[in-house]
């Protein structure tokens, strides 16, 4: 068994060394996944000479993954109760139950249920000499009410440079996801990275959280590329 783990570790290092895109998929956030995410980010950033971003990027990636896993588990929780997540009355009632009941044991149990139903979070790391992108994709959509709250949290977090200050000002109405979003944006600011390089896109069947880390002035953001492509097709 020890040999097989060593073989897997060697394979991972070889994969990181020779690829510019690495993906990890899971239905729950656990110590094993955290270990591999840290390993991938560490080896990638060391490879491109940007080790100073390891701690920050690991924290951001972990926050995005936790938010995605929780969102997926929340959907399964609603389904198990036979409630419609798009019904405001159902949503308010089940959300309070979900928050009250949530624990490590519940997270583990609902991770298994997500796996059985094909619900997952996928982490993509794509990089080059000019910059790096981490995407966290969860294959459940965000309902309109949640998206509006999320956008409001992102807008509010823009005005802060300190996570403790954000928490003190919003402690009465901030849930875990709100703190996570604020933490990501404040961490980017602390490294003089534009917080607008953290984005959340909602699509019909999935939600994509994405952070971009420029390594130099040559880096062109994904949004800039998309705008240029639209302009070129006119």
């Amino acid at each position: 068994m020890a040999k097989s783990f060593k073989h897997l570790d060697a394979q991972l290092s070889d994969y990181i060394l020779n690829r510019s895109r690495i993906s990890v998929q899971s239905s729950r956030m656990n110590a094993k996944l955290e270990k591999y995410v840290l390993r991938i980010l560490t080896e990638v950033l060391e490879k491109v000479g940007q080790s100073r971003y390891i701690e920050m990027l690991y924290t951001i990636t972990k926050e995005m993954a936790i938010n995605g896993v929780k969102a997926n588990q929340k959907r399964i929780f609603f389904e198990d109760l036979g409630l419609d997540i798009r019904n405001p009355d159902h949503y308010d009632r089940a959300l309070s139950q979900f928050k009250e009941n949530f624990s490590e044991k519940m997270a583990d149990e609902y991770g298994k249920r997500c796996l059985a139903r094909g619900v997952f979070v996928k982490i993509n790391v794509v990089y080059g000499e000019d910059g790096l992108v981490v995407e966290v994709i969860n294959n459940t959509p965000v309902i309109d009410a949640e998206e509006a709250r999320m956008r409001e949290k992102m807008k509010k977090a823009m005005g802060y440079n300190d996570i403790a200050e954000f928490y003190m000002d919003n402690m009465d109405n901030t849930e875990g996801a709100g703190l996570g979003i604020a933490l990501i944006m404040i961490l980017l600011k602390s490294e003089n990275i534009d917080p607008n390089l953290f984005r959340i896109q909602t699509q019909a069947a999935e939600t994509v959280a994405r952070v971009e880390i420029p390594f130099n002035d040559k880096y062109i953001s994904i949004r800039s590329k998309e705008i240029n492509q639209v302009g070129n097709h006119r």
Side-chain angles (χ1 to χ4, degrees), residues 167-193:
Y167 178 73
M168 291 304 293
D169 287 353
N170 300 278
M171 60 191 303
D172 293 334
N173 57 6
T174 299
E175 57 180 296
L179 274 176
I181 286 170
L183 176 62
I184 290 167
M185 297 176 80
I186 288 166
L187 283 171
L188 291 173
K189 284 184 181 184
S190 71
E191 290 287 349
N192 295 314
I193 297 171

Side-chain angles (χ1 to χ4, degrees), residues 104-149:
E104 286 296 320
K105 184 178 178 182
M106 179 180 169
D108 191 55
E109 173 62 31
Y110 272 85
K112 293 173 185 173
R113 294 189 195 188
C114 285
L115 181 64
R117 298 187 203 185
V119 176
F120 59 81
V121 163
K122 186 175 185 180
I123 302 170
N124 296 323
V125 180
V126 185
Y127 65 97
E129 59 183 31
D130 296 330
L132 176 148
V133 179
V134 176
E135 281 185 338
V136 175
I137 303 164
N138 58 300
N139 62 338
T140 55
V142 172
I143 65 169
D144 292 344
E146 284 184 336
E147 184 175 6
R149 274 196 289 271

Side-chain angles (χ1 to χ4, degrees), residues 66 69-71 73-74 77 95-108 110-111:
I66 288 170
V69 166
K70 268 196 174 181
Q73 293 181 355
K74 196 191 316 181
F77 184 77
L95 184 62
S96 61
Q97 275 186 258
F98 181 77
K99 288 179 180 178
E100 284 170 16
N101 295 332
F102 195 81
S103 64
E104 286 296 320
K105 184 178 178 182
M106 179 180 169
D108 191 55
Y110 272 85

Side-chain angles (χ1 to χ4, degrees), residues 53-120:
Y53 291 126
I54 292 170
E55 189 176 341
M56 178 197 73
L57 193 56
Y58 172 65
T59 302
I60 288 175
T61 302
K62 188 175 170 182
E63 282 295 333
M64 293 194 299
I66 288 170
N67 285 347
V69 166
K70 268 196 174 181
N72 286 346
Q73 293 181 355
K74 196 191 316 181
R75 298 303 180 282
I76 301 299
F77 184 77
F78 272 74
E79 287 178 17
D80 286 354
L81 290 177
L83 298 174
D84 179 5
I85 199 167
R86 298 182 188 280
N87 180 314
D89 291 334
H90 287 190
Y91 183 83
D92 290 339
R93 176 158 41 109
L95 184 62
S96 61
Q97 275 186 258
F98 181 77
K99 288 179 180 178
E100 284 170 16
N101 295 332
F102 195 81
S103 64
E104 286 296 320
K105 184 178 178 182
M106 179 180 169
D108 191 55
E109 173 62 31
Y110 272 85
K112 293 173 185 173
R113 294 189 195 188
C114 285
L115 181 64
R117 298 187 203 185
V119 176
F120 59 81

Side-chain angles (χ1 to χ4, degrees), residues 28 34 37 40 50 57 127 141-142 148 157 164 228:
R28 52 185 161 170
E34 289 177 17
V37 168
I40 289 164
Q50 300 290 339
L57 193 56
Y127 65 97
V142 172
N228 288 337

